[in-house]
Amino acid sequence: MAGRNSAKRSGDAEEAQRLPGLEPPSDVSVEETHHKGHRQRLYTRFLDGGPDALQDYELLEMILFAVNPRRDVKPLAKALIRDFGDIWSVVNAPPPRLRGYCVGEVSLASDKAVAMLRAVGAAALRGMRQRVMDRPVLANWQSLLDYCTAAMAHQPMEQFRLLFLDRKNKLIADEVQQTGTVDHTPVYPREVVRRALELSASAIILVHNHPSGDPTPSRADVEMTKEILRAAHSLGIAVHDHVIVGKGKHVSFKAQGLM
């Protein structure tokens, strides 16, 4: 009897799906079932083919699945990448810019949603930093540039970063000394060399970003670098380079013959 009743309920559900205006007697909607199928297909493609098997918005979708387990997050993922420029800019965007971002009925309204995106960016950046710390900088120069670009290129304000090296040119500390405005960061040469002495650093690399995206050095950048060179030289501290990071590109003072 139980088997016949179960079969009858299953038949009733199928009939309800076929008849217009009737909903299947289930807590799971047809739309939700479709979303689950879509999500499983993305998981499978990612695990079988790796990250390159998915487009940027699809990778972002996978992050957003945890934010909204029931609704279609594809329009939200596509809109975020369109408005912020790329997936890296999304996961590193300032929380105020992300909070409340909405497409249709799906939004980043909660702290959980914003934190989920930011955590992905933070984890990726920390991994890149660990690849350059305590390693010879000159032998891992491209990795260092990649890390600095990831950390600074999308910052809305100028940052002045100091990379401190030991006698073997291993990176022993990475610190943001100052944060300024959209086009200026106050830099104090005495503070730069004082911090180098505190860390027993033998050399430093100067790095700062241009939020405009254009890494071309300004006259003020050149003069500031000369002041730091003089202050560091007087105390026996080498300055290997000054790198300006833009969006997708950088300028090395040493390569340009500016120091």
Side-chain angles (χ1 to χ4, degrees):
M1 179 67 71
R4 289 196 297 272
N5 289 340
S6 177
K8 183 177 185 301
R9 284 195 297 269
S10 176
D12 290 342
E14 293 175 0
E15 183 64 18
Q17 288 181 337
R18 290 194 296 269
L19 293 175
L22 294 179
E23 296 294 333
S26 171
D27 293 335
V28 180
S29 68
V30 175
E31 181 182 12
E32 185 176 341
T33 301
H34 170 75
H35 294 331
K36 286 184 177 180
H38 170 66
R39 294 178 181 198
Q40 185 57 54
R41 287 190 292 272
L42 284 187
Y43 293 146
T44 301
R45 283 170 52 200
F46 178 75
L47 293 176
D48 289 348
D52 290 341
L54 273 64
Q55 298 186 49
D56 284 356
Y57 77 86
E58 292 175 317
L59 286 173
L60 191 55
E61 273 191 87
M62 290 180 63
I63 301 170
L64 293 171
F65 287 164
V67 174
N68 197 316
R70 289 182 175 272
R71 295 190 179 277
D72 183 7
V73 297
K74 184 188 295 184
L76 177 61
K78 287 185 173 181
L80 283 166
I81 290 180
R82 182 191 67 235
D83 291 347
F84 286 85
D86 54 49
I87 191 170
W88 186 254
S89 298
V90 173
V91 297
N92 286 281
R97 288 197 63 195
L98 291 172
R99 189 174 287 109
Y101 193 98
C102 180
V103 175
E105 297 181 353
V106 183
S107 70
L108 302 177
S110 67
D111 285 347
K112 173 186 175 181
V114 175
M116 189 72 67
L117 290 175
R118 294 277 299 176
V120 172
L125 191 59
R126 185 167 297 182
M128 296 177 73
R129 186 175 186 271
Q130 290 171 348
R131 291 184 63 187
V132 298
M133 289 299 298
D134 298 319
R135 298 187 183 186
V137 166
L138 301 183
N140 294 277
W141 188 247
Q142 188 57 53
S143 294
L144 184 70
L145 290 177
D146 291 342
Y147 163 66
C148 290
T149 299
M152 303 176 73
H154 297 287
Q155 291 295 322
M157 302 297 179
E158 276 200 13
Q159 288 184 347
F160 187 73
R161 195 178 211 97
L162 295 173
L163 306 177
F164 299 95
L165 315 177
D166 66 10
R167 293 185 182 278
K168 295 182 179 180
N169 283 325
K170 287 186 178 180
L171 183 61
I172 58 175
D174 161 33
E175 298 179 355
V176 175
Q177 191 199 45
Q178 297 287 339
T179 298
T181 64
V182 293
D183 58 3
H184 174 70
T185 305
V187 178
Y188 306 101
R190 289 183 180 180
E191 292 298 312
V192 172
V193 297
R194 180 188 65 79
R195 185 58 178 152
L197 291 172
E198 288 178 347
L199 294 169
S200 299
S202 298
I204 56 176
I205 297 173
L206 316 175
V207 188
H208 85 275
N209 64 311
H210 281 179
S212 67
D214 180 3
T216 303
S218 67
R219 180 177 298 179
D221 292 334
V222 175
E223 292 302 317
M224 175 264 291
T225 304
K226 290 179 179 178
E227 290 181 20
I228 294 177
L229 281 168
R230 285 192 292 267
H233 179 73
S234 67
L235 295 172
I237 300 170
V239 180
H240 284 329
D241 206 344
H242 183 177
V243 178
I244 300 180
V245 173
K247 292 179 180 176
K249 48 189 175 180
H250 71 276
V251 167
S252 161
F253 275 51
K254 188 172 184 178
Q256 295 293 317
L258 296 173
M259 57 180 293

